Amino acid sequence: PVKWRGVPVMSFALWVPDAFQGASMVGSMHERWLTDAIVHTDWGPIDILIADFSAGSGDEYLTVRNTAGPQFQGLVVVSLPHLSTTLQRVYNTASYGRVGILGVLENMAGPVFGEGKTRAFCEKHGLRFFGSIPLDQRIRERHERHEVDLPDDNAAPGRAAADPIMR
């Protein structure tokens, strides 16, 4: 894997030679790549594996659970405030597959996408709510300039909200 701020990172995007080239995998192709990435990547000693999956998908985290075995402790779900139906699908799939949800984080909260629905969902279903991270326009602007690093500005709204959650 490549290192980002000392953290090993593996992404399918690293295997695509052109950042603007599309690539898609479906079903067993995606499952096989994910399994290979977990098993054959030299992660070194790790305490946590962060995997970013499409909204509403279920096969990916079932694959991670089955591949990681007893070390797999559960999911931390990141949801947009307005996607309560997607959060419901993830919750249903996780429950059906007996995958524990360790907690839920609301991302991009604020006037554009709203806020509070994720917290209400957690309260209704007895899930731990980790907090909300507000939408920060500077992140989008950096991505448009192909600067994929997070802002180093300690005053950025997302940074201030994320620091206590990540601890």
Side-chain angles (χ1 to χ4, degrees):
V2 298
K3 295 271 185 170
W4 179 77
R5 297 187 179 187
V7 176
V9 175
M10 174 54 66
S11 170
F12 184 74
L14 296 172
W15 293 13
V16 179
D18 179 359
F20 297 103
Q21 175 184 346
S24 63
M25 293 184 289
V26 294
S28 61
M29 291 170 46
H30 193 228
E31 179 181 349
R32 184 68 191 155
W33 182 87
L34 183 55
T35 301
D36 285 348
I38 293 169
V39 173
H40 299 296
T41 299
D42 184 10
W43 296 104
I46 61 171
D47 294 321
I48 188 168
L49 173 68
I50 299 171
D52 184 7
F53 302 131
S54 302
S57 58
D59 292 353
E60 290 92 347
Y61 52 84
L62 296 175
T63 298
V64 171
R65 183 204 56 199
N66 294 339
T67 303
Q71 294 88 356
F72 182 78
Q73 298 295 310
L75 301 172
V76 172
V77 179
V78 179
S79 180
L80 299 179
H82 67 294
L83 293 178
S84 56
T85 55
T86 301
L87 183 54
Q88 182 69 55
R89 281 195 311 262
V90 170
Y91 175 80
N92 291 346
T93 305
S95 298
Y96 178 76
R98 291 187 223 112
V99 175
I101 295 178
L102 304 174
V104 181
L105 176 68
E106 184 176 66
N107 193 23
M108 298 198 295
V112 175
F113 295 111
E115 58 188 308
K117 285 186 179 180
T118 305
R119 179 188 294 273
F121 183 92
C122 290
E123 290 171 0
K124 177 181 176 183
H125 294 284
L127 299 173
R128 184 173 177 196
F129 179 69
F130 288 128
S132 291
I133 298 177
L135 178 63
D136 185 344
Q137 182 173 335
R138 289 173 284 185
I139 294 174
R140 179 189 56 85
E141 291 166 353
R142 289 176 65 94
H143 278 267
E144 286 178 352
R145 295 189 305 265
H146 304 288
E147 298 171 4
V148 294
D149 199 1
L150 293 174
D152 290 324
D153 180 359
N154 288 328
R159 176 78 181 262
D163 279 350
I165 293 168
M166 299 310 283
R167 292 187 181 148

